[in-house]
Structures are given as C-alpha cells and as structure tokens.
Amino acid sequence: MIVLRRLFVCFVLVQFSAPLIADQRQLVILHTNDFHGHIAEENEYAGAARIAALVKETRATYPGVLVLDGGDRVSGTPVSSLYKGVPIIEVLNEVGYDAAALGNHEFDHGYLQMLKFKDIAEFPFITANAFAPDGTLLADAPSMIKTVNGIKVGIIGLVTETTPDIIIPAGNEGISFAPAAEMLKPMVTALRPQVDLLIVLSHVGHEEELELARDIKGIDVIVGGHSHTKVLPPVKVGDTYVVQAGYYGAYVGKLDITVDTDADVMTAFNGILIPAAELPAPLKKVDRIVQRWEKKVSRQVDFQIASADRDYSKVEMQPFLQQILTEATGADFGFYNMGGIRDVFRAGKVTARHLWNIEPFGNQLVTVTATGRVIKRILSDEANQAQRIASLDDDKTYRFATSDFVAAQAERSHGTDVIIQNQSKLVRDILISYIKTNGLDGLVQRAN
C-alpha cells in the first residue's frame, strides 16, 4: 500500500508539472451608443445612474471589464441643449467609460465645443477619421491599446464620413472626415499583430458596419452606433461580430468574450442586450448629479401644454408637425424630416419637455421657395414624402416651411435654385405655442 501511495503521489506531481494548455482569459464588454443626453431615467430609458450601477456591479463580479460608447452622447434633452452638452459629459464621467467614439452630434454646437468636451471628459475620445481645419486629429487618438485582465485589447475609432452633410455648417467650417473604410484597413493591418483582441468602436451605422466586417479582415468585434439599431443577437460576418445597443440608454450591451492570449484569438463569444428595466437600482452618487442638473431646467420645461389620448409613432407624428409649420407660415406645405423627430408623444400629459425632446436642436423656422423639380430632389430621401412628391408640378414654384437645418442642406445641394427666408422663430417654440393653444385633437384631424 505504501508503494502504491507513492506511485500515485508521483503521478499527480507529474500531471501538475506538465505545461498548461493555452492561456484562456475572460473579458466582459459593456457598451452603449446614441445616448443623446438622456441622463435621467424616463419611460423606457435607463438614465446614467442605473448604467453606472451596472458598470460598478459588473466590475465587482468579473476580473476584466471594458466599458465603451459608440458616440452621440449629446443633443436630445433640454439639459443637453440648454447647456450645450456639458452636463452630459460631466455625468458620463461618473459611469466609468474606458473609451468613446466621436459621433456626428458631438458637433451640434460647433467643433470648438466638441474640443471642450475633450477637456471635460475623463475618458478618451478615439476616432481616426475626423480632422480640424489645420488637419490635426479632433479626437484624443485614432486608436489605443489597453490591457484588461492580461488581454491586450486594440481599439480603433471611426465616425461617419457623411458628418458634414448632417451637422450645422456654422461653427464647423473647415473640419473634414476621411472615408471610414480607407482609414480602417491599414490601421487594422498595423494594429492586429500588436494585440490579442481588436475592436472597432464605430459611429458609422449598422449597415455600413456590416460592410466593414465583410471587407476588412482581422477585426474581432465592431461596437457600433449612429443608426440607433437594436442588434439582437449579435451579427457574425466572417470572423467579426457586429453589435449595437439601440439608443437613449434603453439597452446596455454586454459581451462575454474568452481570448487565447497565446494565439491572439477569440475562442468564445456571447452577446446580449440588457433592457433598462433589468438594470440595477440607480447609483446614488450619480443620481444626485443628474438631479442637480435636471432641476436647473425643470422650471422651463416641466409644465403641461396638452394631453394625448394614446401613444404616437414617429411616422404618425410627422404629418401634424408638418401641419403646424404650414399654419405658422402660410406656406404651401410643411416638411419635417423624420431624422429631426427625436421622440414621440405618449398617452397622458404632454409637457414642454416632450417638445424639447422631440426637437432638441434649437432649429430655426424657415421657408424654402423653389420649383417642384428641385423640391422633389430635396424630399427624395424621405420615404414618407412619396405622395407629396407625386403632387408637385416640375415647373411650378412652391414655398414650403421647414427647419434651417433642412434648408442648409438644400442650399448646399441646389445653391441659388432655392430661396430661403428665415422666420426668426425656433421650430420648438412654434410647436409648443401651437399645441398649448390648440391641443392635439383638432390638429391631428387637419393633418390627416
């Protein structure tokens, strides 16, 4: 028996002294995108304090956690609009982000304000293809390498190259955006050999992100933004997973990844979206900061102006928002672009805050005069304008009411073929005043 025991001990010692198999390490990634100023918990949106609680809980549970944001943190709520995005960056500092991409809405108050965001932020902005008028990079860096739980993670940031076409010209003169794919391919080639895991932190939109995954090899994960897409389950294109977490904090993405750091390959992947309702209770420290900022704007926006008997979709809202612009100007018709409708009415009280959320950009009301032929081209990208387009005579001149944002894009494309007259009134103020006076019922009937 003694001999057998000794043999067993020797066997065990040999087993444990043999070389270990590949070094498998775990990484959890939490990701958000298109937050748009929704720091307070409201409706189906989590608010920053509950997201911060999730980050804290996750970091206490797992040895390796990375927290990323896919851009467009500002513009969408009164607290963001009135204070030009500053409160949003201050609050998100408390969430614990490791890196964030620039979004097109970071430029809503001009690129100099975006540079102020860089100064305030306690996390780096990573974007490779956005440049100041002097050609210098607007972000903190084009890419970064961060070691998490022994995993060397490379992160490359991108913003949509169409940004100049979807931001206000004023304050953004001279900035430029290189094509995302052209920038990304050589960067992946250069960074891939240096890291165990390669992530693209993108604000170019889901369909474009799928194209990047298809065309550029060597990317493990694309954490996306811009298109407000709820990607569930994650989409795998070749060896690349593409994810995105909706918008406004309605979801937080969670990726559970295993990496073989000896072979620099991802050996396991699981991705989910956590609905706001399933997040932990708000982190009190962050909630206090949120409430302090929200109190600064409450008096201006938290008063009732009407009632809604049901919930409305954005498609349903577009006609009566257009009707308000038409009646406010006496124009032939109104045009309210779908991309400018940032929230909806829900059954119950309608407050001024709702209108601020619907039109958070502070756009001016204008009229645009042009021939039917030109107007058809202006409206051609809007799927819901087919009936309007069909009713226009190419050679007849029309005057339509819209925002100065739409007018600026029309002038950029059509020059002197459009005549723009500024009404010196904010679209948001017109909406609030009209609905406060007339309610919703009659307006909806006239719009239909």
Side-chain angles (χ1 to χ4, degrees):
M1 292 296 293
I2 294 173
V3 173
L4 288 174
R5 188 177 294 122
R6 284 176 179 171
L7 286 172
F8 177 74
V9 170
C10 289
F11 175 73
V12 172
L13 290 174
V14 169
Q15 288 295 98
F16 275 88
S17 63
L20 294 173
I21 61 172
D23 190 5
Q24 303 283 327
R25 293 181 176 268
Q26 184 185 27
L27 174 68
V28 172
I29 299 174
L30 299 178
H31 63 95
T32 57
N33 57 274
D34 299 283
F35 194 64
H36 285 293
H38 285 74
I39 56 174
E41 183 178 359
E42 183 183 16
N43 299 314
E44 67 270 32
Y45 313 133
R50 294 190 71 179
I51 296 174
L54 175 67
V55 171
K56 182 178 180 180
E57 181 180 280
T58 305
R59 285 197 163 126
T61 305
Y62 299 94
V65 178
L66 194 60
V67 185
L68 303 174
D69 182 75
D72 275 5
R73 283 154 294 280
V74 304
S75 294
T77 58
V79 70
S80 183
S81 298
L82 285 167
Y83 292 96
K84 297 184 178 181
V86 169
I88 312 308
I89 306 302
E90 288 190 0
V91 169
L92 294 185
N93 278 339
E94 303 298 323
V95 172
Y97 286 100
D98 293 290
L102 290 176
N104 52 286
H105 282 286
E106 265 69 75
F107 298 91
D108 279 353
H109 304 288
Y111 82 93
L112 293 179
Q113 185 69 4
M114 192 284 298
L115 296 179
K116 186 174 181 179
F117 297 158
K118 278 175 53 177
D119 293 336
I120 298 169
E122 296 173 5
F123 49 86
F125 291 124
I126 305 298
T127 299
N129 62 327
F131 303 96
D134 63 0
T136 58
L137 195 71
L138 282 169
D140 291 299
S143 64
M144 65 182 288
I145 297 176
K146 186 178 181 69
T147 300
V148 185
N149 192 29
I151 303 169
K152 291 182 71 175
V153 182
I155 302 171
I156 301 171
L158 296 171
V159 64
T160 175
E161 63 209 60
T162 66
T163 295
D165 300 326
I166 52 178
I167 59 176
I168 58 168
N172 288 311
E173 297 86 354
I175 64 175
S176 59
F177 299 81
E182 289 181 17
M183 293 291 294
L184 183 59
K185 193 168 186 177
M187 293 186 70
V188 170
T189 301
L191 196 58
R192 178 76 258 186
Q194 304 177 49
V195 299
D196 302 312
L197 185 77
L198 184 56
I199 297 171
V200 172
L201 187 54
S202 164
H203 194 82
V204 304
H206 184 60
E207 293 302 320
E208 293 79 0
E209 287 150 8
L210 295 176
E211 290 181 15
L212 293 176
R214 184 194 65 213
D215 297 341
I216 301 174
K217 307 305 178 187
I219 304 167
D220 292 302
V221 184
I222 298 178
V223 175
H226 183 53
S227 55
H228 295 200
T229 310
K230 176 186 173 184
V231 180
L232 186 67
V235 179
K236 190 177 185 183
V237 181
D239 294 326
T240 304
Y241 287 94
V242 182
V243 301
Q244 197 175 140
Y247 58 94
Y248 297 0
Y251 298 91
V252 176
K254 181 184 179 185
L255 311 179
D256 196 334
I257 298 171
T258 303
V259 178
D260 177 350
T261 56
D262 291 333
D264 301 337
V265 294
M266 185 167 57
T267 57
F269 178 96
N270 183 57
I272 62 172
L273 294 180
I274 306 173
E278 296 179 14
L279 297 185
L283 201 63
K284 290 182 179 180
K285 174 188 174 184
V286 181
D287 193 49
R288 283 194 294 268
I289 300 171
V290 170
Q291 295 308 319
R292 186 178 74 236
W293 276 111
E294 289 293 346
K295 285 179 181 177
K296 291 177 181 289
V297 304
S298 182
R299 185 175 297 178
Q300 297 181 61
V301 300
D302 290 327
F303 56 90
Q304 185 174 355
I305 59 173
S307 295
D309 59 358
R310 62 179 178 86
D311 293 347
Y312 288 85
S313 70
K314 290 184 179 181
V315 172
E316 290 176 308
M317 290 182 63
Q318 188 182 37
F320 64 77
L321 295 177
Q322 292 176 157
Q323 183 67 24
I324 293 174
L325 302 190
T326 302
E327 295 185 25
T329 58
D332 295 311
F333 62 93
F335 171 58
Y336 206 114
N337 61 310
M338 282 295 293
I341 304 174
R342 309 301 289 197
D343 209 338
V344 295
F345 292 138
R346 295 170 173 81
K349 293 180 179 179
V350 175
T351 68
R353 180 183 288 272
H354 292 127
L355 273 301
W356 276 80
N357 289 350
I358 289 165
E359 201 293 293
F361 307 118
N363 290 323
Q364 295 276 327
L365 177 63
V366 304
T367 57
V368 177
T369 302
T371 63
R373 182 179 291 104
V374 171
I375 294 173
K376 285 179 180 180
R377 293 201 292 268
I378 295 171
L379 303 184
S380 62
D381 289 336
E382 288 276 332
N384 296 328
Q385 297 299 311
Q387 185 175 353
R388 172 68 64 192
I389 290 172
S391 71
L392 299 175
D393 184 324
D394 282 353
D395 298 319
K396 185 177 178 180
T397 297
Y398 300 89
R399 177 172 167 262
F400 71 93
T402 189
S403 70
D404 59 339
F405 170 78
V406 171
Q409 310 311 314
E411 187 174 39
R412 179 180 294 166
S413 300
H414 304 286
T416 56
D417 287 340
V418 297
I419 300 172
I420 299 168
Q421 184 176 3
N422 195 311
Q423 305 296 302
S424 300
K425 300 174 183 177
L426 293 179
V427 171
R428 180 175 55 233
D429 290 347
I430 293 295
L431 299 179
I432 291 172
S433 177
Y434 193 98
I435 293 173
K436 185 178 181 180
T437 301
N438 300 282
L440 290 179
D441 293 341
L443 171 63
V444 172
Q445 291 171 7
R446 290 196 302 281
N448 294 329

